[in-house]
Amino acid sequence: MGNVRGVRIVMVAESFLPQINGVANTVRHVADRLLARGHELLIIAAGPGPDSYRDVPVLRARSFGIPGYKEFPVGLPDPSIERAMAEFRPDLVHLASPFIIGAYGLRSARKLGLPTVAIFQTDIAGFARQYPWFAAADRGVWRWVRRVHSRADRTLAPSTASVQQLVQSGVPRVHLWGRGVNLDLFDPKHRDENWRREISPDGRPIVGYVGRLAAEKKVRRLAELADLNCRVVIVGDGPDRAALENSLPGATFLGMRRGADLASIFAGLDVFVHTGEHETFCQTIQEAQASGVATVGPAAGGPLDLIRPGSTGLLFDPGRPGSLREAVKTLLDDPAARSRVAANGLERVQTRTWPAVVDDLVDRHYAEVLHEAAAVRRVA
């Protein structure tokens, strides 16, 4: 549609800084690029935190912490959201993983006659099934997600699997929009041999997981690797950490790491493993690929787009015990294959920078939605 300039955008986010997760990180990267291109922003986010981001005002909606996951605040409907939108007078409303405050933001946008783009990012129903206190609401949760996205002018899903999931459920106007990766941060040059010797003094290959330590991530599957000739490193934190430390006594837990420290750990791995099967995208696989590391992921959801088996990584069957072990062992036993898939994965991500991905969001998806909204106004 062309180069979009000077647009006023409200971003309604179910999660934002200081939270560290896929939704918050994507919102931050999108905001950074929008600002670099000269657009004006207002961010509306769930949970406590700073009231500004790079001079962009951040309206903090009321929230509560869910049982077992209190560090992930859930926003509540708040009349201040509609008032803030009306005062800001945006051209478009961007809904980041809308669920509760996103649904309220969508309602407010429709009431104000504002076009909307909704980003499908979290498999909330899949998440719910991992928690007994929430599992009974599984179908209701999915019906709600479907209803919210069906009312948006356009829904953007991050992977082929999530596009199909939404379309098959009857959500209209669904388009594919992936995620970027910070190639300045994640790079093979950050490999630190001193760190490797510290983690593996005997020189055994290092297999690592990076992410939340929570039930839906299925990190306990790493127990399959216990008898392999490798060191297992787990980076991250979450409600399951204590239980995982008990069930994976041979693993090294490094806690939450960020920035250059995290990039160095990624680059220091020989094999990266993601264990969860409910990922709509799986950003850590891209970060591992950008770090020049061979990757293993589940044959489900987002990883199906990121890993071409035997070329850019290996997939395991999440429904078959031992499948993860087999995939990791294949790479450990064949250093040449490991190097080959690592090199191919690194090549795959070279065009997936955040500026390129957000430019696609703006110049294609935003532009088309704004064009359609203008056409409707002309007819009216």
Side-chain angles (χ1 to χ4, degrees):
M1 291 295 294
N3 195 344
V4 176
R5 299 181 181 276
V7 174
R8 296 171 65 84
I9 301 159
V10 169
M11 301 181 72
V12 184
E14 295 290 341
S15 183
F16 190 51
L17 299 174
Q19 283 73 47
I20 303 296
N21 54 57
V23 175
N25 291 340
T26 299
V27 171
R28 178 172 56 83
H29 285 297
V30 172
D32 288 343
R33 184 59 177 170
L34 291 175
L35 290 173
R37 291 185 49 157
H39 300 297
E40 296 183 58
L41 300 180
L42 167 66
I43 297 173
I44 299 172
D51 58 8
S52 67
Y53 172 72
R54 294 188 53 191
D55 295 329
V56 173
V58 179
L59 173 66
R60 296 286 174 173
R62 298 174 300 155
S63 67
F64 67 96
I66 57 179
Y69 228 113
K70 292 186 181 297
E71 64 271 41
F72 189 87
V74 176
L76 294 170
D78 193 325
S80 64
I81 293 174
E82 184 176 330
R83 289 197 299 269
M85 280 189 188
E87 292 172 3
F88 188 71
R89 299 176 62 85
D91 299 293
L92 180 142
V93 177
H94 173 119
L95 306 163
S97 196
F99 187 55
I100 297 182
I101 71 161
Y104 190 81
L106 174 62
R107 174 181 177 274
S108 300
R110 286 167 62 89
K111 185 175 177 181
L112 295 168
L114 301 171
T116 54
V117 172
I119 311 299
F120 179 74
Q121 190 157 341
T122 306
D123 182 3
I124 298 175
F127 168 93
R129 287 192 291 272
Q130 311 308 311
Y131 296 88
W133 45 264
F134 206 9
D138 177 5
R139 292 184 180 178
V141 167
W142 181 245
R143 283 196 298 269
W144 177 252
V145 170
R146 183 176 60 205
R147 178 182 179 184
V148 171
H149 282 277
S150 294
R151 294 186 174 191
D153 291 308
R154 177 168 298 202
T155 286
L156 303 181
S159 63
T160 303
S162 55
V163 168
Q164 292 173 346
Q165 180 185 19
L166 290 165
V167 170
Q168 290 170 2
S169 297
V171 177
R173 302 176 297 280
V174 181
H175 297 256
L176 179 65
W177 178 67
R179 298 290 178 270
V181 62
N182 186 346
L183 298 180
D184 293 327
L185 179 61
F186 298 102
D187 190 298
K189 69 184 180 184
H190 297 309
R191 186 178 177 94
D192 183 346
E193 294 299 334
N194 290 329
W195 178 84
R196 287 177 53 79
R197 283 191 291 270
E198 179 183 334
I199 295 296
S200 182
D202 55 5
R204 283 195 253 172
I206 302 171
V207 178
Y209 165 87
V210 177
R212 291 276 306 161
L213 305 185
E216 73 276 6
K217 301 298 185 181
K218 303 294 180 68
V219 185
R220 60 184 178 274
R221 283 182 170 141
L222 293 176
E224 291 185 18
L225 312 184
D227 67 336
L228 295 182
N229 184 36
C230 65
R231 300 284 184 181
V232 175
V233 169
I234 296 175
V235 180
D237 211 341
D240 278 10
R241 179 168 177 172
L244 288 168
E245 288 179 338
N246 287 330
S247 62
L248 301 170
T252 300
F253 287 77
L254 299 180
M256 182 70 74
R257 301 296 180 92
R258 299 185 178 93
D261 190 17
L262 177 60
S264 179
I265 292 172
F266 261 118
L269 302 176
D270 293 291
V271 178
F272 171 80
V273 175
H274 189 85
T275 48
E277 64 205 73
H278 299 292
E279 300 299 310
T280 58
F281 186 73
C282 201
Q283 179 70 344
T284 51
I285 286 179
Q286 279 206 146
E287 291 168 350
Q289 290 174 333
S291 303
V293 177
T295 57
V296 174
L304 292 170
D305 283 357
L306 306 179
I307 293 177
R308 192 165 70 251
S311 175
T312 58
L314 294 181
L315 295 171
F316 72 91
D317 180 356
R320 182 167 66 84
S323 180
L324 172 62
R325 181 187 183 279
E326 291 171 10
V328 173
K329 187 175 187 300
T330 296
L331 293 176
L332 293 178
D333 290 349
D334 191 343
R338 195 165 72 230
S339 296
R340 184 179 65 254
V341 299
N344 291 340
L346 178 60
E347 182 180 3
R348 189 200 77 82
V349 298
Q350 293 308 300
T351 61
R352 303 302 300 169
T353 66
W354 272 112
V357 168
V358 178
D359 285 349
D360 179 57
L361 169 68
V362 175
D363 295 328
R364 183 159 61 102
H365 298 294
Y366 281 7
E368 290 176 359
V369 169
L370 289 168
H371 178 75
E372 291 162 5
V376 169
R377 284 195 297 270
R378 284 196 299 271
V379 171

